[in-house]
Structures are given as C-alpha cells and as structure tokens.
Amino acid sequence: MNSELITALKQALPKGSITENAPLKDYTSFRVGGPAALIIEPMDGGEVRAAVEVLSGFGLGFRVLGNGTNILALDGGVSEPVIHIGKNMSGLSRFDNCITAGAGTTLSALARFALENSLTGLEFAAGIPGNVGGGVIMNAGAYGGELKDVVEAVCFVGPDAKEYAVTGEEMEFGYRHSALMDSCCIVTAVTFRLRPGKKEEIQAKMQELSIRRREKQPLEYPSAGSTFKRPTGNFAGTLIENAGLKGYAVGGAEVSEKHAGFVINKNNACAADILAVIDHVQRTVYDKDGILLEPEVRIWGENK
C-alpha cells in the first residue's frame, strides 16, 4: 500500500487502527479468506468520515466489514481497503422505549440489553451472530422477526464523507435487503423502537429460540449461517435436502448433515472448497426443481 496513504490515514484516525495485509479469515465467521491489503478500524463516526475522506482523496474505493458473519472471503483476498466496523464502535443507551446502538454492537448484546431493560421486540435477534450495522443493512431476521419491524432511525456516513440520518421507513426494507445494501454507505448507529414487556417472558422466549437453534443448526462449525436466501414459496434447506445433498463435500467444506441450508467449514476448508459446494448445490437444485438458489452470503475477492 502507498506509504503516503498509510500516513494520511494514521493522522486522520489517531484513535483507530490501520493494519496492512490482514488475513480475512481472522475477520469472518467462515474462518477462510486471503489477505485484505488494508483494514481500517475507526473508533467513532468522526473517524469513519475521516477514513472515507482520505480514501476519496487518493481516488480509492473501499469495502465495509462488520462481524463478517455473512461474507465468504475468497483465497486471493481483496485489494481494496476495508473499513471494519467492530467492537471499537459498540455501545448501547436507552431513552424511553428506544435503544440506540453503535453499529459495531453485536445483535446478541443488543438483545440482552433489551432484556435487561424489559423491552420486547428483539428476542429473535439474540442468536443472530452479526452486528447492528451489517444486520440493518441486510435486514437480518429469524423465526418470524426482522429488524425492519423495530428500526426507528439509522445514522450513516455517505461516500461524500458526510453523515446522514434516515427513518426506518426511508430504509426501504425488504427481504434481506435495504436501501443501503449496494451502496458505499457506512452505518454508524441505529435506534430501535421497542415495547415494554415482562422480563421473565422475554427471557423465556429467548431461551426457547436458543434451544431451537442449537437443536437444528450446526453451530459447532464455522459458517455464515443460512447460505442461501429463501426462494418464494419454498425453503432452501428443504430443496437441498430433497436433492440428496446433505453431507455433500468438497475438501473441508460440506452441506451440513444437521441443516441442509448451511454450508459449513467442517475440516480446515479453503474458500474455494466452500464456493465449489455452493456452485454444486445451485446447479443440482436448478436441474431438479428449476429453482436457482441465490446466495445469502456475499462473496468477496478473487480465487488464487
């Protein structure tokens, strides 16, 4: 990376960190992926703006990474700088029935905070492994709940390095989609509007969903959760299982025997193994049922 760029970033982000040639396997839940040429970790919204401004001044684009729970980083890595919104930008506060969370806050921590404050509406999010910023951008959901149901407002930094705030309605949420999904906008904070509830009932619901997850999902292996989006009128896991693909493996990657909707890193897989399993599943299900499964995971970079 350009030494002038590194110097400019360090000056603009005195509290943040700049790491060169960082292995993406250390930042993603699949535990695979080659190096990112540069990972920038801001401490706050001001440093996010500063990072975008510096990169723009050098004529560079960037990628945005949260908890890495919905990313398949390929073995060749990525050449673009990566702005990582992690625990540096976490934090929670309550006002009336609203909770404001930093974008780097994990969804599980957000759900626990709602429980501690006897606020209901986020029970479904307790077991989702992502963070608030990434979760809102993709409208994360589980067990009949989606973040769109509780998002009041979203603050983000645009590609012009200016900060904006929009309402939940302006986010144009859809299934695993929002207005910010394919943009270069970086979420910095989100406010959620919840409802008063009874702590024991909220806790019981969270425990029930936790048990269901452990029983049905291969949580013991690295993965990115559900690998494919739910096709209209059907379920990806059902289609994959009916195609006889449970246990199908390439190298260390496998279609989970426990839940066919999950491709797992069972035994030191590389990204190419995982991608090969995804491709085979797509082709097999399409040949059998005429349905092209769309990956829910976002694929970054290039193969070696």
Side-chain angles (χ1 to χ4, degrees):
M1 267 289 168
N2 186 320
S3 60
E4 292 182 6
L5 170 63
I6 302 299
T7 299
L9 285 167
K10 288 181 176 179
Q11 290 175 346
L13 285 75
K15 297 181 292 182
S17 64
I18 314 296
T19 307
E20 296 184 74
N21 296 315
L24 285 166
K25 66 182 180 63
D26 295 339
Y27 292 83
T28 60
S29 59
F30 259 133
R31 297 292 179 258
V32 300
L38 192 66
I39 289 190
I40 303 162
E41 298 183 277
M43 285 291 292
D44 53 35
E47 290 202 339
V48 172
R49 293 195 301 274
V52 173
E53 193 165 28
V54 169
L55 293 173
S56 177
F58 279 80
L60 294 172
F62 55 85
R63 294 175 183 261
V64 184
L65 181 67
N67 242 26
T69 54
N70 203 43
I71 298 292
L72 172 58
L74 300 184
D75 300 310
V78 296
S79 57
E80 306 98 321
V82 174
I83 297 178
H84 179 219
I85 306 299
K87 62 183 179 180
N88 290 350
M89 290 184 59
S90 61
L92 293 155
S93 62
R94 175 186 177 176
F95 177 75
D96 289 337
N97 295 328
C98 291
I99 294 174
T100 296
T105 307
T106 64
L107 290 169
S108 56
L110 170 65
R112 287 195 303 271
F113 187 77
L115 167 64
E116 291 163 5
N117 284 272
S118 300
L119 293 173
T120 184
L122 278 166
E123 290 86 339
F124 72 91
I128 298 176
N131 67 12
V132 165
V136 166
I137 282 177
M138 69 167 290
N139 185 26
Y143 297 108
E146 294 178 292
L147 289 180
K148 73 177 181 64
D149 300 327
V150 288
V151 170
E152 176 76 3
V154 178
C155 294
F156 63 90
V157 172
D160 56 1
K162 294 180 181 179
E163 193 159 19
Y164 297 89
V166 296
T167 65
E169 186 173 286
E170 289 172 317
M171 285 289 288
E172 300 176 4
F173 287 117
Y175 174 65
R176 301 297 178 265
H177 184 81
S178 76
L180 300 184
M181 175 162 272
D182 297 314
S183 71
C184 289
C185 298
I186 305 172
V187 174
T188 55
V190 181
T191 297
F192 300 88
R193 180 169 293 280
L194 305 172
R195 305 180 307 279
K198 295 181 179 179
K199 184 175 289 188
E200 59 273 18
E201 293 179 359
I202 297 169
Q203 188 166 31
K205 183 64 174 178
M206 288 170 63
Q207 288 174 342
E208 174 198 339
L209 295 182
S210 176
I211 291 169
R212 289 172 65 182
R213 281 188 176 93
R214 289 197 303 271
E215 288 177 345
K216 297 182 178 181
Q217 298 180 8
L219 303 180
E220 64 273 28
Y221 294 107
S223 78
S226 297
T227 306
F228 300 96
K229 294 181 180 180
R230 185 180 67 237
T232 303
N234 218 313
F235 294 95
T238 301
L239 291 168
I240 296 166
E241 183 173 356
N242 290 346
L245 290 170
K246 267 190 172 182
Y248 174 81
V250 175
E254 182 179 292
V255 175
S256 170
E257 298 269 14
K258 195 172 188 180
H259 189 313
F262 285 62
V263 175
I264 58 173
N265 180 351
K266 189 172 183 179
N267 186 22
N268 296 315
C270 63
D273 295 339
I274 296 168
L275 192 61
V277 171
I278 290 173
D279 288 344
H280 180 77
V281 167
Q282 287 179 300
R283 289 196 306 271
T284 303
V285 170
Y286 185 79
D287 289 345
K288 179 179 181 295
D289 298 303
I291 296 172
L292 181 60
L293 294 177
E294 182 182 353
E296 187 168 304
V297 297
R298 300 170 74 83
I299 298 168
W300 278 18
E302 299 177 357
N303 277 317
K304 287 184 179 178

